Amino acid sequence: MQQISLLEKSNGNKISVVPTMGYLHKGHLSLVEKAKNFSEITIVTLFVNPTQFAPNEDYSKYPRDFKRDVELCEKAGVNYLFMPDALEMYPIGFSAKINIGRVTEDFEGKFRPFHFEGVATIVAKLLNSTLPNFAVFGQKDYQQSLLVKKIVADLNFPLDIIVAPTLRESDGLAMSSRNIYLSDEDRLEASILFVSLEKARNAIENGERNRKIINAIMHKTLRSVKNLRIDYASSALADTLESPDEFLPGETIVLLLAVYLGKTRLIDNTILKIPSILKSNNSAFEEFKA
Ligand code: PAF
């Protein structure tokens, strides 16, 4: 893979890479489209990375359909598909681990303790294997996108990271390979994630700046679905994931949530700017202050 990339670069071509774990959907293909705007050559990597799954998680049953993925990549005009096997990426004796620190500690990091170490290590390996000028990641895995930016900045990887917006189904559910796990009944309820993000956004646009109240709005909305368990539904500063009591006008924040709907774990997020308006006294969100 490195030799191919070096050859392409010596021919004057720029390279973008889209790292994936396969089972491609429209969201991945939108990342490919984005990548094509930046470079002559697009590489998709397809590797279900065992080290980012805990033993109790869904590594072995993570959905796979390599034949279909190859067809989709061909149709989308992908130039190279890099599909290493686990032993190529992790030969006997492999022991390196990349720990990115702060931005990976809360939220997903709390509920999936070894996940980000696995992600950081494989992302570094995939970038070093494909030697791209650009790498495109989806905003849906928001914390992952922060982690990738940190790897590139802290470890001097010579490339630019592009974060592309989340693609949604018509009811607002973020596209994800894991949506296939949802039962028909759970799929009907799954729009509640988007609804809760939108309710919090609406409150913020109406002047709410108190982090606990914003979080309570998301919690209350999510709790309206019986078969749902919340891992977290929280707001934080978008760049650092710090959690001040009040957000300030002009700050960019992220609303992050992870829930189990039945047995399926779903994540979603929204990025928004705290508007520079005065909060009205008769806030429509008074009830959450109780
Ligand atoms: O987002 C994903 O699909 C994975 O976490 C990634 C970035 C391909 C690393 O395995």
Side-chain angles (χ1 to χ4, degrees):
M1 187 68 252
Q2 283 174 335
Q3 279 172 15
I4 290 171
S5 291
L6 289 171
L7 187 67
E8 289 290 357
K9 282 179 162 174
S10 73
N11 288 334
N13 291 328
K14 291 237 185 313
I15 299 174
S16 295
V17 68
V18 182
T20 81
M21 296 206 298
Y23 211 70
L24 304 179
H25 51 70
K26 280 191 202 150
H28 293 113
L29 299 176
S30 76
L31 303 184
V32 170
E33 283 313 305
K34 187 95 177 170
K36 282 160 71 183
N37 295 330
F38 286 88
S39 59
E40 288 79 14
I41 297 297
T42 308
I43 302 174
V44 167
T45 71
L46 195 168
F47 180 62
V48 187
N49 174 36
T51 65
Q52 68 189 74
F53 293 81
N56 63 331
E57 290 181 345
D58 57 347
Y59 173 67
S60 59
K61 69 176 181 76
Y62 191 83
R64 292 162 169 88
D65 190 342
F66 297 139
K67 191 167 165 279
R68 184 171 157 275
D69 288 343
V70 173
E71 282 165 15
L72 285 173
C73 284
E74 272 173 357
K75 254 199 212 143
V78 170
N79 300 89
Y80 299 100
L81 184 55
F82 180 55
M83 293 174 59
D85 67 28
L87 218 68
E88 271 178 287
M89 291 316 253
Y90 300 112
I92 310 288
F94 184 95
S95 61
K97 279 183 185 144
I98 299 183
N99 186 322
I100 287 298
R102 177 72 192 97
V103 293
T104 60
E105 282 164 8
D106 277 349
F107 309 109
E108 283 301 279
K110 234 181 213 157
F111 288 88
R112 304 182 70 190
F114 302 105
H115 173 69
F116 284 127
E117 211 166 70
V119 172
T121 308
I122 195 63
V123 166
K125 284 175 71 67
L126 293 170
L127 296 179
N128 278 333
S129 304
T130 53
L131 304 174
N133 304 91
F134 304 95
V136 186
F137 292 84
Q139 187 198 309
K140 188 181 149 273
D141 293 292
Y142 182 76
Q143 225 176 336
Q144 172 173 285
S145 73
L146 286 186
L147 163 149
V148 172
K149 286 183 191 162
K150 283 294 279 174
I151 296 176
V152 166
D154 290 2
L155 302 178
N156 309 94
F157 278 69
L159 66 129
D160 290 327
I161 297 297
I162 294 142
V163 180
T166 303
L167 239 64
R168 298 181 179 280
E169 305 290 353
S170 55
D171 66 348
L173 175 66
M175 289 188 188
S176 162
S177 305
R178 288 188 168 98
N179 291 351
I180 185 92
Y181 299 151
L182 290 166
S183 69
D184 290 349
E185 209 175 296
D186 291 340
R187 174 63 192 85
L188 285 176
E189 304 276 33
S191 61
I192 197 68
L193 278 79
F194 182 64
V195 172
S196 75
L197 293 172
E198 286 303 294
K199 281 207 172 165
R201 175 206 292 282
N202 191 259
I204 292 163
E205 280 167 2
N206 280 291
E208 190 53 71
R209 306 215 181 115
N210 181 297
R211 187 176 54 83
K212 285 197 176 137
I213 295 176
I214 295 167
N215 296 353
I217 291 166
M218 291 193 280
H219 275 255
K220 184 172 182 207
T221 312
L222 291 168
R223 280 200 304 267
S224 66
V225 169
K226 267 209 192 98
N227 201 20
L228 182 147
R229 200 186 84 218
I230 302 172
D231 268 358
Y232 58 85
S234 303
S235 44
L237 294 175
D239 286 345
T240 58
L241 296 187
E242 270 153 29
S243 305
D245 291 344
E246 296 267 330
F247 296 116
L248 302 175
E251 282 180 333
T252 303
I253 72 161
V254 60
L255 311 175
L256 292 158
L257 49 85
V259 306
Y260 276 93
L261 197 46
K263 288 193 175 135
T264 311
R265 191 169 186 279
L266 300 173
I267 60 173
D268 202 351
N269 67 76
T270 291
I271 301 172
L272 69 156
K273 208 169 180 173
I274 301 292
S276 309
I277 54 161
L278 281 178
K279 187 171 161 182
S280 75
N281 283 336
N282 54 351
S283 160
F285 306 99
E286 256 344 276
E287 60 174 296
F288 293 102
K289 291 177 187 164

